[in-house]
């Protein structure tokens, strides 16, 4: 298994990297943030993603997409991370697309063309508490008419205030804490009974607290099987977790490169500070940690693309490892930038904020280290 990019994948990177560096560098995030943009992201940019084919990377060829894999999606996500680009790519074109592959023909026909065209944004309504715990789902889905009635609350629904559709985990059986009895639903955000409160997170992204007050959906809103939503939910989460890991490679890598650049140009005591061995040792340690993270992410991407049964274990290991490495990169970045690292004018602090949010998204390092331990029989 090659732990590097193929020629085709390198070509994709050569398209994505300059496109995002030109059209959505960190300044783009600052403009949206400082203008208190109500959407929190640019729909024009999302359209451009579609025109370049990025939104169809994981959509099967039979559904009009490119039928590529998580390595390719990860290339886009790493550049999104490097530029701190606000985008619905991770939730819509990665996590939701992988979940919709398990959906019925109607759901696929309804959503894949709109995702391919850059017209649809899909948000994930999974978490109910302060921390990511998908099995703790308590939200009720009671049988009603030809479908179900949803009642409950979700939070940390990224882009939930502007999404066209919400993928919602709810309980048709069992009780909170159990994997069995969860069903996954595709619910239009404008459905009667949905109300949304918007929160601005530490990284300036916008996230919603969504209340479902007896929201009626048809039976064909079910993604996968009733009571057995843990399957498609796990696929959705694996795609999202690995995607967030790839994005963290970009966030950590971007912070690291910026820091190394600073060490090579900041003079103190008549010398470049990068000439001091104490900082060189810290830089070398950081570089090694980021390379370790990169290796495990690409390994997990290949396993997920190959449908290998070890994929879930490696995805958890990748999220745990990138969480630690990216956090080290942003902390060392702020430290080594000295006083200016504390200021808003310098980008390094924005990387630290994005790291904080991405680490929590889809489960933090502790959550995933715990899963790795359990999957290994501890
Ligand atoms: C609002 C604010 C409040 C602060 N309050 C305090 C405070 O209460 N107490 C306090 O101690 N500091 C405080 N600082 C930090 C302090 O002012 C400087 O930021 C810090 O001393 C780094 O100096 P510098 O900014 O010139 O960074 P630079 O000289 O550019 O150094 C960059 C990095 O290299 C490191 N470095 C430089 N030379 C060496 C060397 N020879 N060996 C190893 N590492 C080296 C620095 O520590 C830093 O991590 C504060 C900063 C801010 C912005």
């Amino acid at each position: 298994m090659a732990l590097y990019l193929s020629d085709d994948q390198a070509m994709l990177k050569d398209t994505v990297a300059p496109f995002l560096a030109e059209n959505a560098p960190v300044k783009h995030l600052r403009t949206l943030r400082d203008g208190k943009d109500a959407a929190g992201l640019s729909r024009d940019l999302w359209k451009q993603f579609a025109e370049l084919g990025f939104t169809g990377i994981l959509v099967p060829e039979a559904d009009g997409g490119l039928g590529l894999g998580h390595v390719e999606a990860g290339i886009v996500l790493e550049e999104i991370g490097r530029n701190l680009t606000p985008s619905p790519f991770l939730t819509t074109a990665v996590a939701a697309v992988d979940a919709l592959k398990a959906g019925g023909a109607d759901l696929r026909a309804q959503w894949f063309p709109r995702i391919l065209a850059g017209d649809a944004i899909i948000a994930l309504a999974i978490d109910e508490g302060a921390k990511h715990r998908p099995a703790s789902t308590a939200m009720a889905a009671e049988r009603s008419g030809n479908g179900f009635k949803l009642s409950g609350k979700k939070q940390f629904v990224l882009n939930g205030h502007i999404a066209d559709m919400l993928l919602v985990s709810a309980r048709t059986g069992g009780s909170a804490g159990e994997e069995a009895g969860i069903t996954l639903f595709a619910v239009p955000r404008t459905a009667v009974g949905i109300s949304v409160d918007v929160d601005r997170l530490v990284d300036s992204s916008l996230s919603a607290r969504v209340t479902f007050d007896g929201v009626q959906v048809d039976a064909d809103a079910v993604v996968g099987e009733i009571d057995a939503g843990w399957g498609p939910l796990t696929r959705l989460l694996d795609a999202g977790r690995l995607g967030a890991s790839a994005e963290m490679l970009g966030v950590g890598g971007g912070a690291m490169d910026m820091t190394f650049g600073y060490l090579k140009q900041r003079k103190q005591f008549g010398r470049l500070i990068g000439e001091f061995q104490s900082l060189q040792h810290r830089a070398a340690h950081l570089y090694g940690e980021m390379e370790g993270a990169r290796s495990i992410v690409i390994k997990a991407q290949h396993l997920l693309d190959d449908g290998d049964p070890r994929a879930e274990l490696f995805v958890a290991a990748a999220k745990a490892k990138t969480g630690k490495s990216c956090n080290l990169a942003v902390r060392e970045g702020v430290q080594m930038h000295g006083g200016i690292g504390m200021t808003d004018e310098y980008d390094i602090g924005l990387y630290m904020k994005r790291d904080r949010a991405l680490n929590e998204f889809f489960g933090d390092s502790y959550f995933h280290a715990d899963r790795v331990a359990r999957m290994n029989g501890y």
Side-chain angles (χ1 to χ4, degrees):
M1 181 180 291
L3 295 184
Y4 51 82
L5 300 181
S6 70
D7 288 347
D8 285 347
Q9 289 159 352
M11 264 169 57
L12 175 63
K13 190 177 174 73
D14 288 344
T15 307
V16 180
F19 168 74
L20 281 179
E22 249 171 61
N23 294 284
V26 181
K27 203 160 119 277
H28 176 75
L29 165 69
R30 287 182 179 279
T31 306
L32 291 167
R33 180 196 69 168
D34 297 345
K36 297 196 167 40
D37 188 274
L41 53 81
S42 160
R43 281 185 186 273
D44 286 347
L45 185 70
W46 187 227
K47 271 295 218 192
Q48 285 177 284
F49 268 54
E51 282 156 19
L52 288 166
F54 301 160
T55 59
I57 284 178
L58 282 169
V59 177
E61 280 181 287
D63 292 297
L66 296 176
L68 297 171
H70 291 279
V71 180
E72 287 81 3
I75 289 168
V76 178
L77 284 161
E78 185 174 346
E79 297 308 319
I80 285 175
R82 182 168 284 274
N83 293 284
L84 305 184
T85 309
S87 166
F89 185 83
L90 177 58
T91 57
T92 305
V94 179
V97 162
D98 253 20
L100 285 171
K101 286 177 189 170
D106 281 357
L107 277 180
R108 297 162 78 104
Q110 197 182 347
W111 293 105
F112 280 147
R114 296 180 64 192
I115 294 171
L116 288 168
D119 287 336
I121 290 175
I122 301 179
L124 314 171
I126 310 291
D127 288 321
E128 298 179 9
K131 298 295 274 187
H132 176 71
R133 294 277 181 277
S136 302
T137 296
M139 185 163 143
E142 291 170 350
R143 285 188 183 273
S144 160
N146 128 45
F148 295 87
K149 203 176 255 193
L150 308 182
S151 302
K153 290 186 180 196
K154 297 284 181 178
Q155 58 177 324
F156 298 113
V157 183
L158 275 196
N159 302 318
H161 61 307
I162 50 165
D164 300 279
M165 185 260 271
L166 306 170
L167 280 168
V168 186
S169 58
R171 214 158 258 295
T172 42
S175 49
E178 293 173 1
E179 294 174 2
I182 290 176
T183 303
L184 193 60
F185 294 92
V187 185
R189 195 207 13 118
T190 49
V192 176
I194 289 184
S195 55
V196 171
D197 293 305
V198 184
D199 295 314
R200 189 173 288 277
L201 302 186
V202 66
D203 63 344
S204 300
S205 63
L206 294 176
S207 156
R209 275 172 287 131
V210 186
T211 304
F212 297 76
D213 186 7
V215 177
Q216 180 72 44
V217 292
D218 291 340
D220 57 16
V222 173
V223 183
E225 303 291 321
I226 296 165
D227 281 348
W230 192 252
L233 180 59
T234 301
R235 278 198 293 283
L236 176 158
L237 292 175
D238 276 345
R241 287 162 174 167
L242 192 49
S245 303
E247 189 171 338
M248 281 195 284
L249 285 182
V251 174
M256 179 175 77
D257 291 351
M258 195 183 302
T259 304
F260 291 177
Y262 186 70
L263 296 184
K264 289 176 191 166
Q265 52 112 43
R266 165 76 169 148
K267 279 198 170 147
Q268 188 61 279
F269 316 118
R271 296 169 72 174
L272 291 170
I273 60 172
E275 289 175 43
F276 292 118
Q277 206 175 35
S278 57
L279 294 188
Q280 288 172 0
H281 284 164
R282 283 165 64 172
H285 174 226
L286 171 57
Y287 181 81
E289 290 297 311
M290 287 305 300
E291 282 298 295
R294 176 174 299 284
S295 304
I296 197 159
V297 169
I298 197 162
K299 170 94 177 169
Q301 288 167 336
H302 280 294
L303 293 177
L304 200 56
D305 285 338
D306 294 346
D308 191 295
R310 293 170 298 163
E312 198 177 345
L313 171 67
F314 277 79
V315 167
K319 185 72 166 71
K321 177 68 183 169
T322 49
K324 291 275 183 207
S325 303
C326 181
N327 189 254
L328 180 70
V330 298
R331 283 189 293 111
E332 287 290 66
V334 170
Q335 277 284 315
M336 291 195 225
H337 271 78
I340 59 168
M342 307 281 291
T343 64
D344 187 65
E345 284 86 342
Y346 273 75
D347 289 341
I348 190 71
L350 299 180
Y351 282 79
M352 180 171 253
K353 289 173 178 170
R354 177 62 59 85
D355 164 68
R356 191 71 195 90
L358 264 178
N359 244 311
E360 291 293 332
F361 204 30
F362 294 118
D364 64 14
S365 291
Y366 300 107
F367 176 85
H368 286 289
D370 181 68
R371 290 182 71 233
V372 170
R374 285 172 195 276
M375 281 188 253
N376 280 312
Y378 287 99

